[in-house]
PDB file of all heavy atoms in Angstrom:
ATOM      1  N   TRP A 207      -6.914  -6.246  -7.655  1.00 98.00           N
ATOM      2  CA  TRP A 207      -6.503  -4.880  -7.342  1.00 98.00           C
ATOM      3  C   TRP A 207      -6.263  -4.828  -5.837  1.00 98.00           C
ATOM      4  O   TRP A 207      -7.045  -5.358  -5.040  1.00 98.00           O
ATOM      5  CB  TRP A 207      -7.496  -3.833  -7.809  1.00 98.00           C
ATOM      6  CG  TRP A 207      -8.899  -4.012  -7.329  1.00 98.00           C
ATOM      7  CD1 TRP A 207      -9.446  -3.517  -6.183  1.00 98.00           C
ATOM      8  CD2 TRP A 207      -9.977  -4.713  -7.999  1.00 98.00           C
ATOM      9  NE1 TRP A 207     -10.770  -3.881  -6.068  1.00 98.00           N
ATOM     10  CE2 TRP A 207     -11.134  -4.582  -7.193  1.00 98.00           C
ATOM     11  CE3 TRP A 207     -10.080  -5.425  -9.204  1.00 98.00           C
ATOM     12  CZ2 TRP A 207     -12.353  -5.150  -7.532  1.00 98.00           C
ATOM     13  CZ3 TRP A 207     -11.278  -5.977  -9.560  1.00 98.00           C
ATOM     14  CH2 TRP A 207     -12.398  -5.841  -8.730  1.00 98.00           C
ATOM     15  N   PRO A 208      -5.163  -4.206  -5.397  1.00 98.00           N
ATOM     16  CA  PRO A 208      -4.805  -4.266  -3.970  1.00 98.00           C
ATOM     17  C   PRO A 208      -5.526  -3.289  -3.092  1.00 98.00           C
ATOM     18  O   PRO A 208      -5.447  -3.387  -1.875  1.00 98.00           O
ATOM     19  CB  PRO A 208      -3.309  -3.946  -4.016  1.00 98.00           C
ATOM     20  CG  PRO A 208      -3.129  -3.109  -5.220  1.00 98.00           C
ATOM     21  CD  PRO A 208      -4.125  -3.588  -6.241  1.00 98.00           C
ATOM     22  N   GLY A 209      -6.236  -2.313  -3.694  1.00 97.00           N
ATOM     23  CA  GLY A 209      -6.794  -1.224  -2.905  1.00 97.00           C
ATOM     24  C   GLY A 209      -5.682  -0.219  -2.580  1.00 97.00           C
ATOM     25  O   GLY A 209      -4.526  -0.387  -3.002  1.00 97.00           O
ATOM     26  N   CYS A 210      -6.020   0.791  -1.842  1.00 98.00           N
ATOM     27  CA  CYS A 210      -4.986   1.761  -1.441  1.00 98.00           C
ATOM     28  C   CYS A 210      -4.167   1.186  -0.297  1.00 98.00           C
ATOM     29  O   CYS A 210      -4.683   0.444   0.547  1.00 98.00           O
ATOM     30  CB  CYS A 210      -5.648   3.075  -1.027  1.00 98.00           C
ATOM     31  SG  CYS A 210      -6.887   2.936   0.272  1.00 98.00           S
ATOM     32  N   PRO A 211      -2.853   1.492  -0.237  1.00 98.00           N
ATOM     33  CA  PRO A 211      -2.002   0.935   0.789  1.00 98.00           C
ATOM     34  C   PRO A 211      -2.133   1.600   2.153  1.00 98.00           C
ATOM     35  O   PRO A 211      -1.674   1.068   3.164  1.00 98.00           O
ATOM     36  CB  PRO A 211      -0.595   1.125   0.237  1.00 98.00           C
ATOM     37  CG  PRO A 211      -0.695   2.303  -0.633  1.00 98.00           C
ATOM     38  CD  PRO A 211      -2.075   2.261  -1.243  1.00 98.00           C
ATOM     39  N   GLU A 212      -2.784   2.759   2.198  1.00 97.00           N
ATOM     40  CA  GLU A 212      -3.022   3.456   3.476  1.00 97.00           C
ATOM     41  C   GLU A 212      -4.240   4.331   3.307  1.00 97.00           C
ATOM     42  O   GLU A 212      -4.378   5.049   2.320  1.00 97.00           O
ATOM     43  CB  GLU A 212      -1.801   4.277   3.861  1.00 97.00           C
ATOM     44  CG  GLU A 212      -1.875   4.879   5.262  1.00 97.00           C
ATOM     45  CD  GLU A 212      -0.556   5.496   5.670  1.00 97.00           C
ATOM     46  OE1 GLU A 212      -0.204   6.533   5.108  1.00 97.00           O
ATOM     47  OE2 GLU A 212       0.131   4.918   6.539  1.00 97.00           O
ATOM     48  N   GLY A 213      -5.142   4.294   4.300  1.00 96.00           N
ATOM     49  CA  GLY A 213      -6.385   5.095   4.221  1.00 96.00           C
ATOM     50  C   GLY A 213      -6.114   6.577   4.279  1.00 96.00           C
ATOM     51  O   GLY A 213      -5.141   7.020   4.863  1.00 96.00           O
ATOM     52  N   ARG A 214      -7.011   7.341   3.644  1.00 95.00           N
ATOM     53  CA  ARG A 214      -6.888   8.786   3.630  1.00 95.00           C
ATOM     54  C   ARG A 214      -8.122   9.484   4.198  1.00 95.00           C
ATOM     55  O   ARG A 214      -8.154  10.707   4.301  1.00 95.00           O
ATOM     56  CB  ARG A 214      -6.681   9.296   2.192  1.00 95.00           C
ATOM     57  CG  ARG A 214      -5.350   8.815   1.572  1.00 95.00           C
ATOM     58  CD  ARG A 214      -5.273   9.248   0.115  1.00 95.00           C
ATOM     59  NE  ARG A 214      -6.395   8.719  -0.631  1.00 95.00           N
ATOM     60  CZ  ARG A 214      -7.085   9.387  -1.544  1.00 95.00           C
ATOM     61  NH1 ARG A 214      -6.764  10.645  -1.823  1.00 95.00           N
ATOM     62  NH2 ARG A 214      -8.090   8.820  -2.185  1.00 95.00           N
ATOM     63  N   GLY A 215      -9.151   8.698   4.524  1.00 94.00           N
ATOM     64  CA  GLY A 215     -10.373   9.284   5.050  1.00 94.00           C
ATOM     65  C   GLY A 215     -11.247   8.180   5.638  1.00 94.00           C
ATOM     66  O   GLY A 215     -10.893   7.019   5.616  1.00 94.00           O
ATOM     67  N   PHE A 216     -12.397   8.583   6.179  1.00 95.00           N
ATOM     68  CA  PHE A 216     -13.264   7.617   6.869  1.00 95.00           C
ATOM     69  C   PHE A 216     -14.050   6.731   5.896  1.00 95.00           C
ATOM     70  O   PHE A 216     -14.827   5.875   6.325  1.00 95.00           O
ATOM     71  CB  PHE A 216     -14.211   8.349   7.806  1.00 95.00           C
ATOM     72  CG  PHE A 216     -13.509   8.960   8.969  1.00 95.00           C
ATOM     73  CD1 PHE A 216     -13.366  10.338   9.088  1.00 95.00           C
ATOM     74  CD2 PHE A 216     -12.924   8.160   9.942  1.00 95.00           C
ATOM     75  CE1 PHE A 216     -12.705  10.919  10.153  1.00 95.00           C
ATOM     76  CE2 PHE A 216     -12.223   8.720  11.010  1.00 95.00           C
ATOM     77  CZ  PHE A 216     -12.119  10.095  11.123  1.00 95.00           C
ATOM     78  N   ASP A 217     -13.845   6.927   4.588  1.00 94.00           N
ATOM     79  CA  ASP A 217     -14.365   5.976   3.612  1.00 94.00           C
ATOM     80  C   ASP A 217     -13.316   4.912   3.272  1.00 94.00           C
ATOM     81  O   ASP A 217     -13.556   4.074   2.415  1.00 94.00           O
ATOM     82  CB  ASP A 217     -14.797   6.715   2.346  1.00 94.00           C
ATOM     83  CG  ASP A 217     -13.677   7.558   1.717  1.00 94.00           C
ATOM     84  OD1 ASP A 217     -12.688   7.856   2.416  1.00 94.00           O
ATOM     85  OD2 ASP A 217     -13.783   7.875   0.530  1.00 94.00           O
ATOM     86  N   GLU A 218     -12.178   4.968   3.944  1.00 96.00           N
ATOM     87  CA  GLU A 218     -11.083   3.998   3.697  1.00 96.00           C
ATOM     88  C   GLU A 218     -10.560   3.500   5.039  1.00 96.00           C
ATOM     89  O   GLU A 218      -9.406   3.662   5.399  1.00 96.00           O
ATOM     90  CB  GLU A 218      -9.963   4.647   2.901  1.00 96.00           C
ATOM     91  CG  GLU A 218     -10.393   5.131   1.528  1.00 96.00           C
ATOM     92  CD  GLU A 218      -9.343   5.915   0.765  1.00 96.00           C
ATOM     93  OE1 GLU A 218      -8.269   6.210   1.350  1.00 96.00           O
ATOM     94  OE2 GLU A 218      -9.594   6.269  -0.395  1.00 96.00           O
ATOM     95  N   THR A 219     -11.462   2.883   5.833  1.00 96.00           N
ATOM     96  CA  THR A 219     -11.103   2.470   7.184  1.00 96.00           C
ATOM     97  C   THR A 219     -10.490   1.075   7.183  1.00 96.00           C
ATOM     98  O   THR A 219     -10.543   0.322   6.236  1.00 96.00           O
ATOM     99  CB  THR A 219     -12.360   2.451   8.087  1.00 96.00           C
ATOM    100  OG1 THR A 219     -13.345   1.561   7.482  1.00 96.00           O
ATOM    101  CG2 THR A 219     -12.943   3.850   8.225  1.00 96.00           C
ATOM    102  N   GLY A 220      -9.814   0.775   8.322  1.00 94.00           N
ATOM    103  CA  GLY A 220      -9.277  -0.557   8.527  1.00 94.00           C
ATOM    104  C   GLY A 220      -7.907  -0.777   7.893  1.00 94.00           C
ATOM    105  O   GLY A 220      -7.262   0.164   7.426  1.00 94.00           O
ATOM    106  N   GLU A 221      -7.482  -2.044   7.875  1.00 94.00           N
ATOM    107  CA  GLU A 221      -6.202  -2.401   7.302  1.00 94.00           C
ATOM    108  C   GLU A 221      -6.207  -2.216   5.803  1.00 94.00           C
ATOM    109  O   GLU A 221      -7.204  -2.499   5.125  1.00 94.00           O
ATOM    110  CB  GLU A 221      -5.860  -3.848   7.635  1.00 94.00           C
ATOM    111  CG  GLU A 221      -5.482  -4.095   9.078  1.00 94.00           C
ATOM    112  CD  GLU A 221      -4.103  -3.575   9.456  1.00 94.00           C
ATOM    113  OE1 GLU A 221      -3.423  -2.980   8.581  1.00 94.00           O
ATOM    114  OE2 GLU A 221      -3.707  -3.761  10.605  1.00 94.00           O
ATOM    115  N   LYS A 222      -5.052  -1.771   5.269  1.00 97.00           N
ATOM    116  CA  LYS A 222      -4.878  -1.621   3.842  1.00 97.00           C
ATOM    117  C   LYS A 222      -3.611  -2.339   3.415  1.00 97.00           C
ATOM    118  O   LYS A 222      -2.704  -2.569   4.256  1.00 97.00           O
ATOM    119  CB  LYS A 222      -4.778  -0.139   3.465  1.00 97.00           C
ATOM    120  CG  LYS A 222      -6.024   0.671   3.843  1.00 97.00           C
ATOM    121  CD  LYS A 222      -7.232   0.207   3.098  1.00 97.00           C
ATOM    122  CE  LYS A 222      -8.508   0.927   3.557  1.00 97.00           C
ATOM    123  NZ  LYS A 222      -9.699   0.380   2.900  1.00 97.00           N
ATOM    124  N   TYR A 223      -3.511  -2.681   2.118  1.00 97.00           N
ATOM    125  CA  TYR A 223      -2.483  -3.636   1.722  1.00 97.00           C
ATOM    126  C   TYR A 223      -1.837  -3.299   0.393  1.00 97.00           C
ATOM    127  O   TYR A 223      -2.373  -2.526  -0.429  1.00 97.00           O
ATOM    128  CB  TYR A 223      -3.079  -5.040   1.590  1.00 97.00           C
ATOM    129  CG  TYR A 223      -3.804  -5.521   2.807  1.00 97.00           C
ATOM    130  CD1 TYR A 223      -5.215  -5.483   2.859  1.00 97.00           C
ATOM    131  CD2 TYR A 223      -3.126  -5.989   3.923  1.00 97.00           C
ATOM    132  CE1 TYR A 223      -5.892  -5.915   3.977  1.00 97.00           C
ATOM    133  CE2 TYR A 223      -3.806  -6.451   5.051  1.00 97.00           C
ATOM    134  CZ  TYR A 223      -5.185  -6.399   5.057  1.00 97.00           C
ATOM    135  OH  TYR A 223      -5.865  -6.846   6.182  1.00 97.00           O
ATOM    136  N   VAL A 224      -0.691  -3.959   0.149  1.00 98.00           N
ATOM    137  CA  VAL A 224      -0.153  -4.196  -1.168  1.00 98.00           C
ATOM    138  C   VAL A 224      -0.091  -5.703  -1.373  1.00 98.00           C
ATOM    139  O   VAL A 224      -0.185  -6.460  -0.384  1.00 98.00           O
ATOM    140  CB  VAL A 224       1.262  -3.579  -1.338  1.00 98.00           C
ATOM    141  CG1 VAL A 224       1.199  -2.069  -1.167  1.00 98.00           C
ATOM    142  CG2 VAL A 224       2.240  -4.170  -0.341  1.00 98.00           C
ATOM    143  N   ASN A 225       0.031  -6.154  -2.614  1.00 98.00           N
ATOM    144  CA  ASN A 225      -0.033  -7.583  -2.911  1.00 98.00           C
ATOM    145  C   ASN A 225       1.330  -8.146  -3.296  1.00 98.00           C
ATOM    146  O   ASN A 225       2.007  -7.562  -4.152  1.00 98.00           O
ATOM    147  CB  ASN A 225      -1.019  -7.864  -4.035  1.00 98.00           C
ATOM    148  CG  ASN A 225      -2.460  -7.610  -3.647  1.00 98.00           C
ATOM    149  OD1 ASN A 225      -2.778  -7.506  -2.468  1.00 98.00           O
ATOM    150  ND2 ASN A 225      -3.335  -7.518  -4.629  1.00 98.00           N
ATOM    151  N   LEU A 226       1.688  -9.262  -2.703  1.00 98.00           N
ATOM    152  CA  LEU A 226       2.803 -10.068  -3.191  1.00 98.00           C
ATOM    153  C   LEU A 226       2.232 -11.255  -3.935  1.00 98.00           C
ATOM    154  O   LEU A 226       1.419 -12.008  -3.391  1.00 98.00           O
ATOM    155  CB  LEU A 226       3.667 -10.562  -2.003  1.00 98.00           C
ATOM    156  CG  LEU A 226       4.607  -9.545  -1.335  1.00 98.00           C
ATOM    157  CD1 LEU A 226       5.189 -10.116  -0.094  1.00 98.00           C
ATOM    158  CD2 LEU A 226       5.715  -9.131  -2.324  1.00 98.00           C
TER     159      LEU A 226
END
Side-chain angles (χ1 to χ4, degrees):
W207 54 88
C210 54
E212 188 171 70
R214 297 175 300 138
F216 291 110
D217 57 341
E218 298 173 355
T219 56
E221 288 286 2
K222 301 296 176 185
Y223 306 101
V224 298
N225 291 344
L226 284 171

